[in-house]
């Protein structure tokens, strides 16, 4: 009976990741093999997309288990180079159950053009999708970090600001990281953030 429960939990995690990958692909947020998705099971195990897989065509076999340190449980598997950014979030907050990373056009362009260290989003009704927001009459900041191929070093730069992040964060020229208590919440927040960034990009283009 115990093995059945374990298998059922892993299968559910795989389905959530596969379905989220398909949804992100449909919206153009994970081109080619970009992006990565993960979730934490109730028993503490972490499931994440393996490196190099197209998120629109994921199967259960494209989801692997990693340790809290970001290492594949099966050495034959290869995790994404950005796995440490997922495990950093899980270690930061035990309530986090899913992490999503995408590469949309809006996020990429805005992150490269914004001179400050954050994008301010204000006055949008959709801001209420984020935890603690009850009105459109507010503003939230999306922190920006410079891209770095040294993910361990990038994680140390991100760490000091994690406690104050409400929207997630954005890596310049790269993409967003969003999380939630479960996959549904994380995906809703990602969709909300991508909508807001698309609005900001459209407004800038209209002014040009």
């Amino acid at each position: 009976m115990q093995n059945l429960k374990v298998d059922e939990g892993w299968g559910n995690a795989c389905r959530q990741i596969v379905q989220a990958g398909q949804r992100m692909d449909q919206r153009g947020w994970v081109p080619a093999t970009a992006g990565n998705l993960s979730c934490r099971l109730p028993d503490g195990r972490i499931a994440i997309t393996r490196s190099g897989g197209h998120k629109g065509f994921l199967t259960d076999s494209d989801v692997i288990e990693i340790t809290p340190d970001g290492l594949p449980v099966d050495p034959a598997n290869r995790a994404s180079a950005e796995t440490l950014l997922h495990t950093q979030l899980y270690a930061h907050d035990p309530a986090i159950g899913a992490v999503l990373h995408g590469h949309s056009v809006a996020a990429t362009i805005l992150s490269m053009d914004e001179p400050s260290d954050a994008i301010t989003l204000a006055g949008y009704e959709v801001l209420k999708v984020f935890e603690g927001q009850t009105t459109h009459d507010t503003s939230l900041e999306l922190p920006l970090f410079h891209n770095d191929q040294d993910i361990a070093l990038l994680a140390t730069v991100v760490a000091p600001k994690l406690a104050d992040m409400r929207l997630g964060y954005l890596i310049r020229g790269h993409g967003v990281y969003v999380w939630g208590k479960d996959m549904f919440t994380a995906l809703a927040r990602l969709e909300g953030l991508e909508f807001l960034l698309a609005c900001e990009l459209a407004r800038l283009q209209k002014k040009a």
Side-chain angles (χ1 to χ4, degrees), residues 96-123:
I96 293 175
V99 179
L100 300 174
H101 170 49
H103 297 232
S104 72
V105 171
T108 303
I109 293 175
L110 291 173
S111 69
M112 297 179 75
D113 288 347
E114 174 58 51
S116 70
D117 59 1
I119 294 174
T120 301
L121 299 168

PDB file of all heavy atoms in Angstrom, residues 96-123:
ATOM      1  N   ILE A  96       6.364  26.836  -0.100  1.00  0.00           N
ATOM      2  CA  ILE A  96       6.422  26.818  -1.565  1.00  0.00           C
ATOM      3  C   ILE A  96       6.295  25.382  -2.060  1.00  0.00           C
ATOM      4  O   ILE A  96       7.023  24.493  -1.628  1.00  0.00           O
ATOM      5  CB  ILE A  96       7.735  27.444  -2.083  1.00  0.00           C
ATOM      6  CG1 ILE A  96       7.755  28.946  -1.757  1.00  0.00           C
ATOM      7  CG2 ILE A  96       7.892  27.227  -3.591  1.00  0.00           C
ATOM      8  CD1 ILE A  96       9.056  29.633  -2.126  1.00  0.00           C
ATOM      9  N   GLY A  97       5.353  25.174  -3.002  1.00  0.00           N
ATOM     10  CA  GLY A  97       5.129  23.829  -3.529  1.00  0.00           C
ATOM     11  C   GLY A  97       5.414  23.688  -5.007  1.00  0.00           C
ATOM     12  O   GLY A  97       5.432  22.570  -5.527  1.00  0.00           O
ATOM     13  N   ALA A  98       5.647  24.816  -5.697  1.00  0.00           N
ATOM     14  CA  ALA A  98       5.935  24.738  -7.130  1.00  0.00           C
ATOM     15  C   ALA A  98       6.682  25.995  -7.569  1.00  0.00           C
ATOM     16  O   ALA A  98       6.452  27.093  -7.047  1.00  0.00           O
ATOM     17  CB  ALA A  98       4.649  24.597  -7.937  1.00  0.00           C
ATOM     18  N   VAL A  99       7.573  25.815  -8.530  1.00  0.00           N
ATOM     19  CA  VAL A  99       8.373  26.918  -9.084  1.00  0.00           C
ATOM     20  C   VAL A  99       8.347  26.813 -10.598  1.00  0.00           C
ATOM     21  O   VAL A  99       8.535  25.720 -11.151  1.00  0.00           O
ATOM     22  CB  VAL A  99       9.837  26.861  -8.585  1.00  0.00           C
ATOM     23  CG1 VAL A  99      10.650  28.005  -9.201  1.00  0.00           C
ATOM     24  CG2 VAL A  99       9.901  26.911  -7.065  1.00  0.00           C
ATOM     25  N   LEU A 100       8.110  27.943 -11.270  1.00  0.00           N
ATOM     26  CA  LEU A 100       8.062  27.978 -12.730  1.00  0.00           C
ATOM     27  C   LEU A 100       9.015  29.036 -13.270  1.00  0.00           C
ATOM     28  O   LEU A 100       9.112  30.136 -12.716  1.00  0.00           O
ATOM     29  CB  LEU A 100       6.640  28.293 -13.206  1.00  0.00           C
ATOM     30  CG  LEU A 100       5.548  27.304 -12.776  1.00  0.00           C
ATOM     31  CD1 LEU A 100       4.183  27.824 -13.190  1.00  0.00           C
ATOM     32  CD2 LEU A 100       5.813  25.930 -13.377  1.00  0.00           C
ATOM     33  N   HIS A 101       9.687  28.693 -14.352  1.00  0.00           N
ATOM     34  CA  HIS A 101      10.630  29.620 -14.990  1.00  0.00           C
ATOM     35  C   HIS A 101      10.355  29.645 -16.483  1.00  0.00           C
ATOM     36  O   HIS A 101      10.362  28.603 -17.142  1.00  0.00           O
ATOM     37  CB  HIS A 101      12.059  29.157 -14.732  1.00  0.00           C
ATOM     38  CG  HIS A 101      13.094  29.895 -15.522  1.00  0.00           C
ATOM     39  ND1 HIS A 101      13.146  31.271 -15.588  1.00  0.00           N
ATOM     40  CD2 HIS A 101      14.124  29.442 -16.286  1.00  0.00           C
ATOM     41  CE1 HIS A 101      14.168  31.641 -16.355  1.00  0.00           C
ATOM     42  NE2 HIS A 101      14.755  30.542 -16.792  1.00  0.00           N
ATOM     43  N   GLY A 102      10.060  30.834 -17.007  1.00  0.00           N
ATOM     44  CA  GLY A 102       9.770  30.970 -18.431  1.00  0.00           C
ATOM     45  C   GLY A 102      10.577  32.072 -19.095  1.00  0.00           C
ATOM     46  O   GLY A 102      11.215  32.886 -18.418  1.00  0.00           O
ATOM     47  N   HIS A 103      10.543  32.079 -20.432  1.00  0.00           N
ATOM     48  CA  HIS A 103      11.312  33.032 -21.235  1.00  0.00           C
ATOM     49  C   HIS A 103      10.388  33.714 -22.245  1.00  0.00           C
ATOM     50  O   HIS A 103      10.417  33.388 -23.433  1.00  0.00           O
ATOM     51  CB  HIS A 103      12.405  32.314 -22.037  1.00  0.00           C
ATOM     52  CG  HIS A 103      13.457  31.629 -21.224  1.00  0.00           C
ATOM     53  ND1 HIS A 103      14.804  31.846 -21.424  1.00  0.00           N
ATOM     54  CD2 HIS A 103      13.390  30.720 -20.222  1.00  0.00           C
ATOM     55  CE1 HIS A 103      15.516  31.099 -20.592  1.00  0.00           C
ATOM     56  NE2 HIS A 103      14.663  30.404 -19.845  1.00  0.00           N
ATOM     57  N   SER A 104       9.544  34.598 -21.819  1.00  0.00           N
ATOM     58  CA  SER A 104       8.643  35.259 -22.756  1.00  0.00           C
ATOM     59  C   SER A 104       9.326  36.427 -23.463  1.00  0.00           C
ATOM     60  O   SER A 104      10.342  36.952 -23.003  1.00  0.00           O
ATOM     61  CB  SER A 104       7.403  35.780 -22.026  1.00  0.00           C
ATOM     62  OG  SER A 104       7.737  36.901 -21.222  1.00  0.00           O
ATOM     63  N   VAL A 105       8.730  36.855 -24.568  1.00  0.00           N
ATOM     64  CA  VAL A 105       9.244  38.009 -25.308  1.00  0.00           C
ATOM     65  C   VAL A 105       9.183  39.261 -24.443  1.00  0.00           C
ATOM     66  O   VAL A 105      10.150  40.025 -24.350  1.00  0.00           O
ATOM     67  CB  VAL A 105       8.444  38.221 -26.612  1.00  0.00           C
ATOM     68  CG1 VAL A 105       8.827  39.534 -27.269  1.00  0.00           C
ATOM     69  CG2 VAL A 105       8.680  37.058 -27.575  1.00  0.00           C
ATOM     70  N   ALA A 106       8.030  39.491 -23.798  1.00  0.00           N
ATOM     71  CA  ALA A 106       7.868  40.698 -22.983  1.00  0.00           C
ATOM     72  C   ALA A 106       8.886  40.751 -21.852  1.00  0.00           C
ATOM     73  O   ALA A 106       9.515  41.791 -21.611  1.00  0.00           O
ATOM     74  CB  ALA A 106       6.449  40.756 -22.426  1.00  0.00           C
ATOM     75  N   ALA A 107       9.054  39.649 -21.142  1.00  0.00           N
ATOM     76  CA  ALA A 107      10.001  39.618 -20.029  1.00  0.00           C
ATOM     77  C   ALA A 107      11.423  39.870 -20.512  1.00  0.00           C
ATOM     78  O   ALA A 107      12.189  40.608 -19.879  1.00  0.00           O
ATOM     79  CB  ALA A 107       9.923  38.269 -19.314  1.00  0.00           C
ATOM     80  N   THR A 108      11.769  39.288 -21.628  1.00  0.00           N
ATOM     81  CA  THR A 108      13.128  39.436 -22.150  1.00  0.00           C
ATOM     82  C   THR A 108      13.417  40.865 -22.557  1.00  0.00           C
ATOM     83  O   THR A 108      14.440  41.452 -22.173  1.00  0.00           O
ATOM     84  CB  THR A 108      13.346  38.495 -23.352  1.00  0.00           C
ATOM     85  OG1 THR A 108      13.088  37.147 -22.944  1.00  0.00           O
ATOM     86  CG2 THR A 108      14.767  38.603 -23.868  1.00  0.00           C
ATOM     87  N   ILE A 109      12.524  41.473 -23.335  1.00  0.00           N
ATOM     88  CA  ILE A 109      12.744  42.834 -23.820  1.00  0.00           C
ATOM     89  C   ILE A 109      12.741  43.844 -22.677  1.00  0.00           C
ATOM     90  O   ILE A 109      13.640  44.687 -22.565  1.00  0.00           O
ATOM     91  CB  ILE A 109      11.679  43.213 -24.864  1.00  0.00           C
ATOM     92  CG1 ILE A 109      11.858  42.366 -26.128  1.00  0.00           C
ATOM     93  CG2 ILE A 109      11.769  44.707 -25.206  1.00  0.00           C
ATOM     94  CD1 ILE A 109      10.781  42.592 -27.171  1.00  0.00           C
ATOM     95  N   LEU A 110      11.743  43.773 -21.827  1.00  0.00           N
ATOM     96  CA  LEU A 110      11.654  44.732 -20.730  1.00  0.00           C
ATOM     97  C   LEU A 110      12.851  44.631 -19.795  1.00  0.00           C
ATOM     98  O   LEU A 110      13.347  45.647 -19.295  1.00  0.00           O
ATOM     99  CB  LEU A 110      10.360  44.509 -19.941  1.00  0.00           C
ATOM    100  CG  LEU A 110       9.061  44.873 -20.668  1.00  0.00           C
ATOM    101  CD1 LEU A 110       7.858  44.434 -19.847  1.00  0.00           C
ATOM    102  CD2 LEU A 110       8.992  46.368 -20.949  1.00  0.00           C
ATOM    103  N   SER A 111      13.314  43.431 -19.548  1.00  0.00           N
ATOM    104  CA  SER A 111      14.444  43.253 -18.628  1.00  0.00           C
ATOM    105  C   SER A 111      15.733  43.836 -19.186  1.00  0.00           C
ATOM    106  O   SER A 111      16.609  44.268 -18.432  1.00  0.00           O
ATOM    107  CB  SER A 111      14.649  41.764 -18.321  1.00  0.00           C
ATOM    108  OG  SER A 111      15.120  41.064 -19.462  1.00  0.00           O
ATOM    109  N   MET A 112      15.852  43.870 -20.503  1.00  0.00           N
ATOM    110  CA  MET A 112      17.069  44.403 -21.120  1.00  0.00           C
ATOM    111  C   MET A 112      17.026  45.923 -21.263  1.00  0.00           C
ATOM    112  O   MET A 112      18.076  46.577 -21.338  1.00  0.00           O
ATOM    113  CB  MET A 112      17.282  43.744 -22.484  1.00  0.00           C
ATOM    114  CG  MET A 112      17.510  42.247 -22.404  1.00  0.00           C
ATOM    115  SD  MET A 112      17.733  41.444 -24.007  1.00  0.00           S
ATOM    116  CE  MET A 112      19.402  41.953 -24.406  1.00  0.00           C
ATOM    117  N   ASP A 113      15.818  46.481 -21.308  1.00  0.00           N
ATOM    118  CA  ASP A 113      15.674  47.922 -21.512  1.00  0.00           C
ATOM    119  C   ASP A 113      15.517  48.722 -20.222  1.00  0.00           C
ATOM    120  O   ASP A 113      15.727  49.934 -20.216  1.00  0.00           O
ATOM    121  CB  ASP A 113      14.465  48.209 -22.416  1.00  0.00           C
ATOM    122  CG  ASP A 113      14.705  47.813 -23.867  1.00  0.00           C
ATOM    123  OD1 ASP A 113      15.869  47.546 -24.209  1.00  0.00           O
ATOM    124  OD2 ASP A 113      13.739  47.765 -24.644  1.00  0.00           O
ATOM    125  N   GLU A 114      15.135  48.072 -19.129  1.00  0.00           N
ATOM    126  CA  GLU A 114      14.909  48.783 -17.870  1.00  0.00           C
ATOM    127  C   GLU A 114      16.251  49.139 -17.204  1.00  0.00           C
ATOM    128  O   GLU A 114      17.034  48.259 -16.859  1.00  0.00           O
ATOM    129  CB  GLU A 114      14.080  47.910 -16.937  1.00  0.00           C
ATOM    130  CG  GLU A 114      13.890  48.480 -15.541  1.00  0.00           C
ATOM    131  CD  GLU A 114      13.234  49.850 -15.566  1.00  0.00           C
ATOM    132  OE1 GLU A 114      12.178  50.007 -16.227  1.00  0.00           O
ATOM    133  OE2 GLU A 114      13.790  50.757 -14.913  1.00  0.00           O
ATOM    134  N   PRO A 115      16.540  50.440 -17.020  1.00  0.00           N
ATOM    135  CA  PRO A 115      17.834  50.839 -16.447  1.00  0.00           C
ATOM    136  C   PRO A 115      17.936  50.633 -14.936  1.00  0.00           C
ATOM    137  O   PRO A 115      19.036  50.488 -14.403  1.00  0.00           O
ATOM    138  CB  PRO A 115      17.907  52.331 -16.790  1.00  0.00           C
ATOM    139  CG  PRO A 115      16.479  52.773 -16.881  1.00  0.00           C
ATOM    140  CD  PRO A 115      15.738  51.598 -17.454  1.00  0.00           C
ATOM    141  N   SER A 116      16.796  50.627 -14.227  1.00  0.00           N
ATOM    142  CA  SER A 116      16.839  50.466 -12.773  1.00  0.00           C
ATOM    143  C   SER A 116      16.947  48.988 -12.404  1.00  0.00           C
ATOM    144  O   SER A 116      17.006  48.117 -13.276  1.00  0.00           O
ATOM    145  CB  SER A 116      15.589  51.084 -12.140  1.00  0.00           C
ATOM    146  OG  SER A 116      14.438  50.316 -12.450  1.00  0.00           O
ATOM    147  N   ASP A 117      16.928  48.707 -11.110  1.00  0.00           N
ATOM    148  CA  ASP A 117      17.079  47.315 -10.665  1.00  0.00           C
ATOM    149  C   ASP A 117      15.737  46.641 -10.402  1.00  0.00           C
ATOM    150  O   ASP A 117      15.668  45.593  -9.756  1.00  0.00           O
ATOM    151  CB  ASP A 117      17.957  47.241  -9.421  1.00  0.00           C
ATOM    152  CG  ASP A 117      17.397  48.047  -8.251  1.00  0.00           C
ATOM    153  OD1 ASP A 117      16.312  48.645  -8.400  1.00  0.00           O
ATOM    154  OD2 ASP A 117      18.056  48.081  -7.194  1.00  0.00           O
ATOM    155  N   ALA A 118      14.636  47.233 -10.914  1.00  0.00           N
ATOM    156  CA  ALA A 118      13.315  46.627 -10.766  1.00  0.00           C
ATOM    157  C   ALA A 118      12.339  47.256 -11.747  1.00  0.00           C
ATOM    158  O   ALA A 118      12.503  48.407 -12.152  1.00  0.00           O
ATOM    159  CB  ALA A 118      12.795  46.798  -9.338  1.00  0.00           C
ATOM    160  N   ILE A 119      11.335  46.479 -12.136  1.00  0.00           N
ATOM    161  CA  ILE A 119      10.231  46.986 -12.946  1.00  0.00           C
ATOM    162  C   ILE A 119       9.050  47.207 -12.010  1.00  0.00           C
ATOM    163  O   ILE A 119       8.645  46.289 -11.289  1.00  0.00           O
ATOM    164  CB  ILE A 119       9.847  45.990 -14.055  1.00  0.00           C
ATOM    165  CG1 ILE A 119      10.986  45.839 -15.061  1.00  0.00           C
ATOM    166  CG2 ILE A 119       8.568  46.443 -14.754  1.00  0.00           C
ATOM    167  CD1 ILE A 119      10.743  44.758 -16.102  1.00  0.00           C
ATOM    168  N   THR A 120       8.514  48.420 -12.007  1.00  0.00           N
ATOM    169  CA  THR A 120       7.376  48.738 -11.144  1.00  0.00           C
ATOM    170  C   THR A 120       6.077  48.557 -11.913  1.00  0.00           C
ATOM    171  O   THR A 120       5.908  49.103 -13.004  1.00  0.00           O
ATOM    172  CB  THR A 120       7.466  50.178 -10.617  1.00  0.00           C
ATOM    173  OG1 THR A 120       8.684  50.338  -9.879  1.00  0.00           O
ATOM    174  CG2 THR A 120       6.286  50.488  -9.705  1.00  0.00           C
ATOM    175  N   LEU A 121       5.171  47.781 -11.343  1.00  0.00           N
ATOM    176  CA  LEU A 121       3.866  47.532 -11.953  1.00  0.00           C
ATOM    177  C   LEU A 121       2.811  48.130 -11.044  1.00  0.00           C
ATOM    178  O   LEU A 121       2.723  47.785  -9.861  1.00  0.00           O
ATOM    179  CB  LEU A 121       3.645  46.033 -12.123  1.00  0.00           C
ATOM    180  CG  LEU A 121       4.673  45.329 -13.024  1.00  0.00           C
ATOM    181  CD1 LEU A 121       4.542  43.818 -12.901  1.00  0.00           C
ATOM    182  CD2 LEU A 121       4.495  45.761 -14.473  1.00  0.00           C
ATOM    183  N   ALA A 122       2.009  49.054 -11.570  1.00  0.00           N
ATOM    184  CA  ALA A 122       1.062  49.782 -10.733  1.00  0.00           C
ATOM    185  C   ALA A 122      -0.280  49.976 -11.430  1.00  0.00           C
ATOM    186  O   ALA A 122      -0.339  50.167 -12.648  1.00  0.00           O
ATOM    187  CB  ALA A 122       1.645  51.145 -10.350  1.00  0.00           C
ATOM    188  N   GLY A 123      -1.350  49.928 -10.634  1.00  0.00           N
ATOM    189  CA  GLY A 123      -2.673  50.271 -11.121  1.00  0.00           C
ATOM    190  C   GLY A 123      -3.425  49.182 -11.852  1.00  0.00           C
ATOM    191  O   GLY A 123      -4.558  49.393 -12.287  1.00  0.00           O
TER     192      GLY A 123
END
